[in-house]
Amino acid sequence: MTPILISTLSIEQLQISAILTYTDFNKPLGSVMSKDSQAQSAKPLYAKIADELTDMIASGVLAEGDRLPSLRMLSKSHAVSVPTVVEAYRVLEDRGVVTPLNRSGYYVKRREDFFQPPKPVRPIGSPTKIMQKEATQLVMTAAQNPGLLPFGAAVPSPSLFPITRLKSIMSRLLRHKPELLGSYDFAPGSMELRRELARRSLRWGCTIDPEAIVVTNGCVEAISLALRAVTKPGDIVAVETPTYYGFLSLLEVLGLQALEIPCDPVNGLSVDEFTKALRKFDVTACLLCSTVSNPTGATIPVKKKRELAELACRHDFMIIEDATFADLHFNGETLSIKSFDTDGYVILCASATKTTAPGLRLGWVEGGKVSDQISYLKRVSSIGQPQINQLVLAEYMASGGYERHLRQLVRTIRKQLDQHCTAIADSFPSGLTAVPPSGGFLLWLELSSEIDGLELHNRALSFGIGLAPGEMFSANGLFSNYLRVNCGQVYTDEIRTAYARLGSLLTDMM
Amino acid sequence: MTPILISTLSIEQLQISAILTYTDFNKPLGSVMSKDSQAQSAKPLYAKIADELTDMIASGVLAEGDRLPSLRMLSKSHAVSVPTVVEAYRVLEDRGVVTPLNRSGYYVKRREDFFQPPKPVRPIGSPTKIMQKEATQLVMTAAQNPGLLPFGAAVPSPSLFPITRLKSIMSRLLRHKPELLGSYDFAPGSMELRRELARRSLRWGCTIDPEAIVVTNGCVEAISLALRAVTKPGDIVAVETPTYYGFLSLLEVLGLQALEIPCDPVNGLSVDEFTKALRKFDVTACLLCSTVSNPTGATIPVKKKRELAELACRHDFMIIEDATFADLHFNGETLSIKSFDTDGYVILCASATKTTAPGLRLGWVEGGKVSDQISYLKRVSSIGQPQINQLVLAEYMASGGYERHLRQLVRTIRKQLDQHCTAIADSFPSGLTAVPPSGGFLLWLELSSEIDGLELHNRALSFGIGLAPGEMFSANGLFSNYLRVNCGQVYTDEIRTAYARLGSLLTDMM
């Protein structure tokens, strides 16, 4: 497969090719498209037919919902027995690209059905006291090496940020209001910024009072304050599994227990499983990314978001919703759980600079019924945020630049995601599974079961490649053969080479 | 008294006049100097003589250690009876300006003896669970009103900050390294800044490894992290009494108990009393300002600082030393407890911007034996501080500008302190006591016992004047008739008028 071929595909098509659903008798879809004839010739007939059909689906010749040729027709056209075609269709069904419909034949699955979930992972099902994980420590320390290729981070390339514009706003502020350097700004923070943040929350279906917003030192501090406001040591906090490792570290340092709730890589946290868990455990809070989750890229369907909001009210626990990546949803499905919050049970947290200017380091929180406590906690624990940083962002948002930038960023990262997926398909050995994220730039990969992600991380480190091994994303040591890959970096030869290197390392480890 | 007359006095002389030791039968020293003849004529003879002598002492005619005229000599020169002179000398002794020496007569007290401590305040002597104080809430909320005259804050006028220089450094950084806006900086923080901070700590007698420094969101966050690293809810933390109200709020939100240790307004925390308390209570940490304390301006003598460091080691508790105001000591006595720390029992915290550029919002902590935990806590709780803010400060420090600025600032605030003290002496009714601080710009005033500081705060607020009532500075409701006054503001007519207004309010309340 040549990159040129792939780059002509749309993201949706690439998602199909990038599903990377390998089985022991199949080449990856991407490789099929590369017409690797040597491998093809060694294949049984049914596999060749399956590959051919997959190819047609991937290239759009067979579109979503199309009926596949009948068994008889294909048997005739390919001069093979009907059982061979049956076997080929079974392979396609296993791959998740076609679906049988009653007795009327096989159909190309709709795009959303193509997502091939990793094997379902059942968390242990009991609250877990978090212990600082070796993996997390290692990776966080490694992440501070600026020379490292940041596959393990969760940041886009700095070149994707609107630096020139922000720099010019900041320079002008310095010229006209130098006194900003000399004055304190107290929590809850600059009203100019809080007004813009409230206005932006309309995109998430929220109508938020700027007075209830507290500006924080990034989203992580927002979540830390939210947890401190609603929990005490020993309390049980429900989290997705896999969940962002930073959440687990926060639970750890606050002496909280994590209750891992199973997640679907497409639909996110299982509300049904969570409802069952609520009957068994006294849950104080549920901490999750409802839209474009980290690490899976999953988004909870709107209906389920509403159910979660109702559940919180009925069972009297707080939802801490991290909306940091919500604006990066590819189809603009950004409705939040908070938008269904009628009684203040949802605390909305977000970064305000992660996708714009991480160097300004600003996040925010709307604390629902504990807004005042959160504001007090922030003021008592660190007074407030630098005012000039807040005003730069406020002005940028007020100018409309923020929205334009986000639209452009989403376009760019979708394209990049394609490029990264293609490189992975090209370079990694078979035996991995991935789920195209609903947005953002993170890819959650399941590797062959014999691969230890942490070991891969350690080996990759010596080649200057940073990784986020799956083990970090669970309190119970799950996901040891997973990786979260940062596809936010602009695709370059260096990145291509790095994937090739990772491919070799993986092959060595198998 | 005219400001011109007073402004010719040195700070030490003014300290005498500003001791403001009033009794019910005496006018303030300042007023004596103003030759308020109407009031004078109504006075008994002994009081007039006492005023005259006080005047001579204040103006330096009678110097420290000078012997006062004998009873007989003064009786003759003033044509009054010896008992009248005895009474006059008794008044002077009450005022704390003279001291009898055995049978050899009365002597002008040495300067340090002039400090008239407020009546000793005995804390309750048991650990106290902190409840959020109405006063603290009120004052912190009021402090966010930028239109308020900030007598209740603890900040110098913004015009005293090196804004032009910092602005130019920041503008240049934006021009040459705009990418700083796009990149994360992880705890422990920028090495450029940590190196400068470590170098500066030499002034405090410390040799600190930059690697052990964690840059924080101001000193308050440094202390918050230090407390979180070494305590768990319910633990006992020893504090000075009075202590900075922000410390009490921190103990409150962390569920800690405050053990208030008596303090001398000159020598700070009583190490002897503390030693006694250690026998009685299981103290986890001691949180204090050892040099130029907030609110009293006291500095613990070097010998006692060493004792404290040894005590921590012997009794296995951590000292959290806030050195924020240490650089503002008038005589450069800046040696820290940390400088005597041999086994990592002292956590040194400080602001890096309070006296330079509060708008950059940077503090730091060297965590002794818990440095790693503090660094981890910071990274987990809020990742890090904005890099550009750190680099501005680092460059300013490296250029030597920081030290020059501090020297100038100390000169300026000493002068301002004089001006504020004079205005207070001019405006406030009798019955108050103050202690000249060893440095900084905060003045701790004891008002007449019938005055309620919080009530005064509320009344002053309606005139646009912010105050810090004494009640905020104790967990046990002590100091209700005290005020902490911010003399960091450049003296202007507006400030003179505000003191006159406060004087009227006080008179109304008596």
Side-chain angles (χ1 to χ4, degrees), chain A residues 49 319 345 405 425:
Chain A
I49 294 170
I319 291 179
Y345 281 91
H405 160 68

Side-chain angles (χ1 to χ4, degrees), chain A residues 154 203-204 240 242 244 247 264-269 288-301 305 321-337 354-355 410 413 417 435-443 484:
Chain A
R203 281 173 61 103
W204 305 340
E240 301 158 89
Y244 169 46
F247 292 173
D264 178 272
V266 174
N267 296 316
L269 182 125
L288 83 173
C289 305
S290 68
T291 307
V292 186
S293 192
N294 176 357
T296 62
T299 291
I300 300 177
K305 284 179 178 165
E321 182 180 27
D322 176 355
T324 292
F325 292 101
D327 289 328
L328 302 185
H329 194 287
F330 292 147
N331 302 324
E333 291 166 19
T334 55
L335 224 53
S336 59
I337 304 176
K354 184 168 198 79
T355 53
V410 169
I413 59 175
L417 196 62
V435 185
S438 64
F441 43 80
L442 300 174
L443 194 66
R484 186 196 69 185

